[in-house]
Amino acid sequence: MSVSELESELSADERAGLELIRETGGIHQSDFWKRLDVSSRKGSRIAEALQESGLIQRENTVYDGHNTYYLEPAPRDLDFSLLMAGDMLSPFIGEEEIDPQSDAFSQWLMNLAYEEY
């Protein structure tokens, strides 16, 4: 199942939790549930559900002298196929300005138009 499919099945609270973790780049669970304005029990369940779905990583840690978890976004695989047209890489990669009249751009667009899905 893709990440977008997994995310579409999340509850509103789980989506809010995932967004918070992604925005912060990582957060201690003891702060997580406070920022979401939910109980610690509900915050723990949200974190567990996100971990089980593979959307976040949850690691034991000590924070402010208490045992808790550190929650951070799971690394995502990059889909470079979106930059490809056939076997050609997008001419937008590495170029500051693209000439829409250039042969490289025209060939890439033609490959994109005739690609079979």
Side-chain angles (χ1 to χ4, degrees):
M1 190 177 286
S2 73
V3 171
S4 59
E5 290 172 332
L6 288 171
E7 290 180 22
S8 70
E9 294 181 1
L10 298 177
S11 70
D13 288 334
E14 290 167 343
R15 271 195 296 280
L18 180 59
E19 184 177 323
L20 174 61
I21 293 166
R22 285 182 176 163
E23 283 175 0
T24 60
I27 188 169
H28 290 95
Q29 187 168 306
S30 54
D31 292 334
F32 173 74
W33 59 270
K34 292 174 189 171
R35 296 264 309 265
L36 285 178
D37 196 27
V38 296
S39 69
S40 62
R41 182 178 183 145
K42 185 169 185 174
S44 180
R45 288 185 178 159
I46 292 169
E48 287 173 0
L50 293 173
Q51 179 188 24
E52 287 173 10
S53 65
L55 296 169
I56 69 164
Q57 295 177 336
R58 191 171 175 236
E59 188 176 316
N60 285 318
T61 190
V62 176
Y63 177 63
D64 283 341
H66 300 283
N67 291 332
T68 187
Y69 291 95
Y70 188 71
L71 313 174
E72 57 189 341
R76 294 191 262 181
D77 291 334
L78 300 176
D79 185 3
F80 291 105
S81 67
L82 299 174
L83 301 173
M84 302 297 289
D87 61 351
M88 291 182 67
L89 182 63
S90 168
F92 292 103
I93 304 301
E95 297 289 329
E96 290 190 25
E97 290 187 37
I98 292 294
D99 176 11
Q101 305 299 319
S102 73
D103 287 340
F105 182 68
S106 296
Q107 279 186 315
W108 185 79
L109 275 178
M110 293 302 289
N111 278 347
L112 189 61
Y114 291 109
E115 203 171 73
E116 290 185 40
Y117 288 96

